[in-house]
Amino acid sequence: MKMNKIKQGLAFGLAGVMMSGMLGGCSSTGESSEATASDTQEEAVELTVFAAASLTEALTEIAEQYKEVAPEVSLVFNFDSSGTLKTQIEEGAECDIFISAAQKQMNELDATQDAEKNPDGLDYIDPETRIDLLENKVVLVVPEGNPAGINAFEEIGEKSNLIALGNDDVPVGQYSEEILQGLGLLEQLESENKITYGSNVKEVTTQVAEGSVDCGIVYATDANSAGLTIVAQASEDMCSQVIYPAALLKNSKYPEQAQAFLDYLQDDAAMQVFEEIGFSPAAAQ
């Protein structure tokens, strides 16, 4: 009788050991599966892109394409004038990529530039990632029907009662002033109060589209997107080449993913979108 009890005890003990081993094995396998799943799952990333307002339509479309390429990456855009974006970066706004509508604003954030181009010695962008991405053109646009009959930059002073330009801290405004100064019209228009200003290129196109001005100076891409009538394009001797530089910020939280998106912007699929709107790839400088 005593022997039977001992045998029963041994049997229960062995069963317990076996059950424990089985459970331990299941637990180990489960943990291993979870770890594997965790390792293979892509980390969700949110990239913040500061881009010139004239890139709104193109980058919005490209962002939809990029979802197929990198579904784990969410793109958040801040579209405004390059001068405003540059100021926001200086003030500490979170930004992974900056795309300016002119070299001036990018130079002012690049520590590798000399004191003339970067007078405050700012050091925000990673110069190793800086590229010239796109080229645009500056054009003269008029409202539907062209009521004032303006067909050339040279006719602005004589035929226009009001022209819309970008502010002088906005690249399109700087190109506009360069054109009008070269034609000897800027001082005349200012003295006759014939200029109204927009804080970015989209505000200028809106004023022209609404017919509140006789003409405006904008980028070809914005004229195309807004369906405006282009009556003249600035020649190379009228204003500087319109180049859009792009670069990663030094404090980007996700430099690897940001570089991947910047690389994608130079690929054929993205460049096709840019070209359909009126941009062209920037020629090597």
Side-chain angles (χ1 to χ4, degrees), residues 50 76 115 151 169 185 189 195 217:
F50 279 28
V76 177
N151 293 295
D169 65 338
L185 294 175
L189 294 170
I195 302 176
I217 299 178

Side-chain angles (χ1 to χ4, degrees), residues 89-281:
I89 290 171
E90 282 186 77
E91 293 174 347
E94 287 191 12
C95 175
D96 295 290
I97 300 172
F98 178 38
I99 310 176
S100 172
Q103 301 285 13
K104 180 178 185 293
Q105 289 74 22
M106 188 68 75
N107 287 338
E108 291 171 347
L109 298 174
D110 186 348
T112 66
Q113 301 298 309
D114 59 31
E116 183 179 350
K117 294 180 179 178
N118 184 0
D120 296 324
L122 301 178
D123 185 15
Y124 286 88
I125 70 158
D126 179 354
E128 296 297 320
T129 67
R130 181 173 175 174
I131 59 168
D132 288 340
L133 180 63
L134 300 166
E135 182 175 356
N136 209 340
K137 299 297 182 183
V138 179
V139 297
L140 179 64
V141 292
V142 295
E144 184 177 358
N146 192 7
I150 299 169
N151 293 295
F153 286 100
E154 292 81 359
E155 296 176 357
I156 294 172
E158 176 188 352
K159 295 184 177 181
S160 175
N161 290 315
L162 193 61
I163 179 174
L165 306 177
N167 289 336
D168 60 8
D169 65 338
V170 178
V172 73
Q174 294 158 6
Y175 294 124
S176 301
E177 289 191 356
E178 185 179 353
I179 293 168
L180 295 174
Q181 282 179 337
L183 294 172
L185 294 175
L186 185 61
E187 289 185 6
Q188 173 194 337
L189 294 170
E190 289 177 334
S191 65
E192 295 175 355
N193 294 317
K194 289 186 175 182
I195 302 176
T196 179
Y197 292 97
S199 62
N200 59 53
V201 70
K202 296 300 182 187
E203 290 188 6
V204 178
T205 58
T206 297
Q207 291 182 61
V208 177
E210 292 176 347
S212 57
V213 294
D214 298 310
C215 59
I217 299 178
V218 298
Y219 298 122
T221 53
D222 291 284
N224 293 334
S225 297
L228 298 178
T229 301
I230 298 174
V231 294
Q233 178 176 296
S235 59
E236 292 181 3
D237 61 343
M238 294 178 75
C239 74
S240 306
Q241 192 177 15
V242 183
I243 298 296
Y244 286 57
L248 268 62
L249 274 291
K250 282 191 169 183
N251 64 352
S252 170
K253 291 182 178 179
Y254 305 104
E256 183 178 344
Q257 292 87 344
Q259 184 62 59
F261 181 62
L262 188 55
D263 291 341
Y264 181 77
L265 292 179
Q266 301 169 73
D267 285 349
D268 291 343
M271 199 55 67
Q272 182 178 345
V273 175
F274 286 128
E275 291 178 346
E276 286 173 355
I277 291 175
F279 289 102
S280 59

